Amino acid sequence: MVSRKKTKRRKKAKGKAAKAAAFKPFSLTQFKKSTCTHGWDNTEYSNNHECYKFIEAAIKAFRRTNCISYILKAANDATFEKYPEIWKDPTKLEWIASAFVSIGVEAIIREGDKFLCVSSVAYSEWIHQYVAFALHKSMPSVYSARLNELVNADERRIISYLKKRIPCSCLNSSYNAVKHLPKKGICCFPGCSCPERKVELSEMWSCEACRREHYCSEECQAANWSRHRKDCKVWSEWKANCGSSQSS
């Protein structure tokens, strides 16, 4: 006769085994064999190229960190010193950024892995920005508000961001399932009292000078001014110079 405790233990063990079998960690090798790679040209480089190793290193860093707030730093720490030549090459970086967009899509439609999806989206955006401000000098600084928004984005924002960046229809059903949800942004004041600092976009205030930071209220905007002042000046001057150069 089997005791109730043993029966419970067996059921618990079976449940864990079933859960482990159902969860399949993302595999870049398997993804490259997919019928659709969502606009990413995975034939550009050979399988043993440094660019693929770069991507794998970043994904491993995401997993080790397991904290969405530190994924950018973790991935940079894992790649900057190891792949310095790639960080100097805008073509390779843009290819890698495209790969992370596709990985984000795949994480939604096949894996159900929100952490990998958000990490990939935020890192793709960071790489695009790095190319713009560090290599092409077409931006004065990092657009940190956008990065922060993506790192803390809800499902609707992430799916919408990805859908605009792929040529295929792979996210259509996922987008249709969330498009009725309200569009929300992140208040840039770290001390904001709104739940998760999220507020509907139609109710947000933007900094009039730079248009780069957004807030839930005038109070949060005023409270954040001492932190934002330096970046505001940088972006405002850049915007003014770009405007004058375009009009001349």
Side-chain angles (χ1 to χ4, degrees):
M1 187 174 181
V2 181
S3 68
R4 288 184 178 180
K5 286 185 178 180
K6 286 184 178 180
T7 303
K8 285 183 178 179
R9 282 199 295 268
R10 285 177 184 174
K11 285 182 178 179
K12 191 174 182 180
K14 285 182 180 179
K16 286 183 178 179
K19 190 174 181 181
F23 178 73
K24 296 179 181 179
F26 177 82
S27 167
L28 185 59
T29 303
Q30 290 299 316
F31 176 42
K32 287 187 289 183
K33 299 176 183 177
S34 299
T35 54
C36 181
T37 53
H38 321 300
W40 172 46
D41 181 8
N42 63 346
T43 63
E44 183 76 16
Y45 301 105
S46 61
N47 290 341
N48 61 349
H49 194 275
E50 293 288 275
C51 284
Y52 279 113
K53 295 176 183 178
F54 181 112
I55 295 169
E56 294 280 14
I59 292 175
K60 286 179 182 177
F62 297 161
R63 297 299 191 195
R64 282 197 304 271
T65 305
N66 201 31
C67 177
I68 201 66
S69 300
Y70 298 104
I71 55 109
L72 298 182
K73 183 181 185 305
N76 286 343
D77 287 347
T79 57
F80 261 110
E81 290 187 6
K82 197 169 184 179
Y83 306 104
E85 295 307 312
I86 291 179
W87 280 107
K88 297 174 186 175
D89 190 326
T91 302
K92 288 186 174 68
L93 287 175
E94 292 290 3
W95 183 85
I96 290 170
S98 177
F100 277 113
V101 165
S102 297
I103 290 168
V105 174
E106 198 71 5
I108 289 175
I109 63 178
R110 289 184 57 188
E111 307 291 335
D113 190 340
K114 184 180 178 182
F115 180 81
L116 176 61
C117 177
V118 173
S119 300
S120 299
V121 167
Y123 204 52
S124 174
E125 176 65 28
W126 155 251
I127 292 173
H128 279 307
Q129 291 194 26
Y130 179 86
V131 170
F133 84 83
L135 302 182
H136 292 327
K137 310 298 183 184
S138 58
M139 280 171 55
S141 179
V142 175
Y143 187 178
S144 55
R146 175 170 289 174
L147 290 171
N148 183 55
E149 179 192 5
L150 290 172
V151 166
N152 295 285
D154 56 22
E155 190 176 20
R156 189 196 192 287
R157 175 71 174 103
I158 287 292
I159 292 175
S160 177
Y161 179 95
L162 289 170
K163 187 174 181 296
K164 293 175 182 176
R165 287 162 175 79
I166 59 174
C168 57
S169 59
C170 292
L171 280 182
N172 283 4
S173 59
S174 297
Y175 179 72
N176 288 336
V178 299
K179 67 180 182 180
H180 67 283
L181 298 173
K183 296 180 181 180
K184 291 189 175 183
I186 305 292
C187 178
C188 288
F189 177 46
C192 175
S193 60
C194 294
E196 297 181 320
R197 291 162 53 199
K198 292 180 180 178
V199 62
E200 289 194 32
L201 287 178
S202 59
E203 299 176 2
M204 297 194 80
W205 297 70
S206 295
C207 175
E208 290 187 11
C210 68
R211 296 286 178 182
R212 291 282 161 169
E213 296 223 337
H214 315 286
Y215 303 92
C216 67
S217 65
E218 286 183 285
E219 289 75 19
C220 276
Q221 183 176 4
N224 198 53
W225 176 241
S226 60
R227 186 192 67 84
H228 175 53
R229 181 187 286 111
K230 184 177 179 181
D231 279 347
C232 185
K233 182 180 179 182
V234 169
W235 282 103
S236 299
E237 290 177 351
W238 174 78
K239 188 173 72 169
N241 291 334
C242 284
S244 60
S245 63
Q246 287 174 0
S247 61
S248 60

